[in-house]
Structure formats: C-alpha cells, structure tokens
Amino acid sequence: MKYSTLEVKQEGHIAHVVLNRPDAMNSMIPEFWTELPAAIREIDDEAKARVIVISSTGKHFSAGMDLSVFLNMKEDFKGDPSRRAERMRRMVMLLQDSFTAIEQARMPVIGAVQGGAIGGAVDLLSACDMRYCTQDAFFTIKETQLGMTADVGTLQRLPKLIPIGIVKELAYTGRNFGAQEAQQLGFVNQVFDDQASMLDAVMKIAQQISMNSPLAVSGTKTMINYAVEHTVGESLNFMATWQAGMFQMEDVFKAMEAQKTKSLPDYPPLHPAIKKMNSYAYV
C-alpha cells in the first residue's frame, strides 16, 4: 500500500514504519488514523517481519492530534445529543483501535523518539513494547491543557509502565517530562545523543530479536501482555495451555544445533494471516 502520512520499509526481518510529515511535525491528520493501523496489520498479516520499528522524520517525533481532526469533530456536535454521543463513542473507539493494532501485532514493536512526543504520540508510544529516545526528547500528556481527557490509550497503558502517582501528576498538569526523567521512570529503555546513534542501536536490538524463533518471540509478547492484565495464577494457567499447543521441538532443536555449531539458526516464518476461506484450504 502507498501511504500519505508514513513510509514503510523492510530490511531482512525488520519492518520500519516512518512517520513522514516533518514539515507539520508529524501531526496526526485524519489519514494517519487509518494508515498507521493498516500498515501495522499488513506487516503482521504478511508475517515476513519479526520486529517493527516506528520512528519519524524532522525535529520532532510527533505533535499529536492535528487541529483538522478537532475541527472535523466539532462539526459532529450537532443534532440529537444521544445519537451524537453514540457516534462520538464509536469515533473514539476507532481512534483507540489505531494504537491497539500495535499492541495486537504478533511481533514486538519498538518506538524510536527524537524531539517532542506530544498528546497522541504518547498514546502511540505507550502501546509499543519498548521505547528509546534522544537526549532532546520530551513527552507531554497535552490533552488536559486542551480542555479534554486523553482518550486513546495513555491513561490506560501508562499506569502499567510507570508509577501511578507520576502518571497522575503528568496527566493532571500536562507538563513536559524529558529524556532523563523518562528513563528514570522506566518509560524509555535508553537515551542516545542523537537520532542517528539511536536508530543504529535500535536496529541492532531489532536484529537481535529477529534472530530468535518468531514463534517464541510472539508467544513471549502474548504472555507478557496477558500477565499485565491478569493475576499470576491466571497467567500461569494460560501459559500452560499455550505451551501445550505451541511448544514444538523443531525450533528448539534448531536453536541447540546453532549453538553447537556456532552458526545462526534458520527459523521458518510464522504463517501469514488467514484472509479468506475457499473450498480447499485456508489462504
């Protein structure tokens, strides 16, 4: 697919999604909200990539929701209040789904941030598996200062990433928090001097991940995400059930043989997503 707000590249087993509206600080125009989940799900469906990296162009990662989205929403605030509210609910859920696609992808998704990550950009990054940033990066839950409650995932995901008291301070005030604070809080894994060194390091991390069994990595992501939402007992039970079906010896033997011969294992990819069913087979 061709996109107007981002570029998708793939090298080996790493897919690279680049927000590509630098002159507008990569603000999230209406097209972005359909293009990003479409790109993530296309990568996931094809299953050729084993890691997804999301970065951006220009001085800032993203200025968040574009003014045009708010202007379009303003036009919806007419007519019967109950129908208007029902429509608004569906619109918010559609926006939420744009970043839930990141969380649902079978492969890990890594965010690489330079400059500002504002409003909706924090929602996006909160859905990623890991985050890395440059020294000049800063993050803002901006919505409160705009007279609204953040509604696309930050308030739901961020309390599971950093202390809840800090989340409340950041959300209530809308203040910026910089790279060093973000690392101290555990929101970002590592801080780099500039974007070039950050992307170089992130791609090396992605390469390390991609060398492992894609089934093992996908299962690991599934288990960690499940554990965040469930008790230890429920998570252990789910793990046992998962392992009963997913654990096979082929990838284990490949890994052991690679260690023995000091070579790189050659794992088969995950199957592409099932898109339709004909009379003979799933395709």
Side-chain angles (χ1 to χ4, degrees):
M1 290 180 63
K2 291 191 177 294
Y3 304 102
S4 62
T5 65
L6 46 88
E7 181 183 3
V8 179
K9 302 177 281 188
Q10 184 156 334
E11 185 173 341
H13 296 305
I14 302 170
H16 191 183
V17 178
V18 184
L19 310 189
N20 199 23
R21 297 180 64 248
D23 294 340
M25 296 192 294
N26 298 301
S27 62
M28 299 170 175
I29 59 177
E31 292 83 352
F32 168 85
W33 296 94
T34 54
E35 289 185 355
L36 180 71
I40 297 295
R41 288 188 167 121
E42 183 177 22
I43 294 167
D44 188 31
D45 287 349
E46 288 180 348
K48 294 177 182 177
R50 299 180 184 179
V51 187
I52 301 172
V53 174
I54 300 179
S55 71
S56 74
T57 51
K59 185 177 180 180
H60 296 289
F61 180 78
S62 173
M65 186 80 80
D66 191 79
L67 179 61
S68 61
V69 178
F70 289 113
L71 293 176
N72 290 341
M73 291 171 66
K74 183 180 179 182
E75 295 302 312
D76 284 334
F77 279 76
K78 298 175 182 177
D80 170 46
S82 60
R83 286 169 172 77
R84 186 181 71 204
E86 193 274 337
R87 176 182 171 84
M88 180 65 176
R89 180 176 183 271
R90 286 187 290 113
M91 182 183 300
V92 172
M93 292 176 71
L94 181 66
L95 296 176
Q96 291 172 346
D97 181 67
S98 298
F99 299 150
T100 298
I102 295 171
E103 197 169 60
Q104 291 177 339
R106 289 179 286 175
M107 59 285 295
V109 181
I110 303 173
V113 182
Q114 86 286 356
I118 300 167
V122 178
D123 293 286
L124 184 160
L125 294 167
S126 296
C128 292
D129 292 274
M130 299 107 78
R131 291 150 293 276
Y132 300 83
C133 73
T134 57
Q135 290 279 5
D136 67 346
F138 65 92
F139 309 86
T140 312
I141 304 174
K142 191 69 174 177
E143 289 86 348
T144 316
Q145 293 184 349
L146 300 177
M148 62 177 290
T149 301
D151 57 2
V152 196
T154 290
L155 302 183
Q156 292 70 39
R157 294 187 174 100
L158 201 57
K160 295 170 182 177
L161 299 173
I162 67 176
I164 191 167
I166 301 296
V167 174
K168 289 181 177 181
E169 177 191 325
L170 296 173
Y172 296 164
T173 64
R175 72 169 175 84
N176 293 353
F177 60 108
Q180 297 303 324
E181 183 178 3
Q183 185 178 27
Q184 290 169 0
L185 293 171
F187 183 61
V188 300
N189 291 32
Q190 196 170 347
V191 178
F192 298 90
D193 290 337
D194 51 47
Q195 188 179 29
S197 60
M198 173 184 65
L199 287 175
D200 182 62
V202 166
M203 289 302 175
K204 287 178 180 176
I205 293 167
Q207 181 64 29
Q208 283 184 295
I209 295 170
S210 71
M211 291 167 61
N212 292 323
S213 159
L215 186 60
V217 174
S218 177
T220 300
K221 176 172 179 173
T222 300
M223 289 306 123
I224 292 173
N225 287 349
Y226 187 90
V228 169
E229 304 287 346
H230 296 80
T231 67
V232 172
E234 290 168 336
S235 300
L236 289 170
N237 183 62
F238 183 46
M239 179 73 251
T241 304
W242 174 279
Q243 204 74 322
M246 298 296 180
F247 183 77
Q248 302 294 332
M249 294 306 296
E250 181 180 352
D251 283 11
V252 175
F253 282 144
K254 283 182 180 291
M256 293 172 63
E257 182 63 23
Q259 290 185 16
K260 183 179 178 181
T261 60
K262 295 184 174 10
S263 60
L264 295 177
D266 181 22
Y267 297 110
L270 297 177
H271 287 309
I274 297 171
K275 286 300 188 180
K276 63 180 180 178
M277 185 175 67
N278 59 29
S279 59
Y280 301 103
Y282 294 104
V283 294

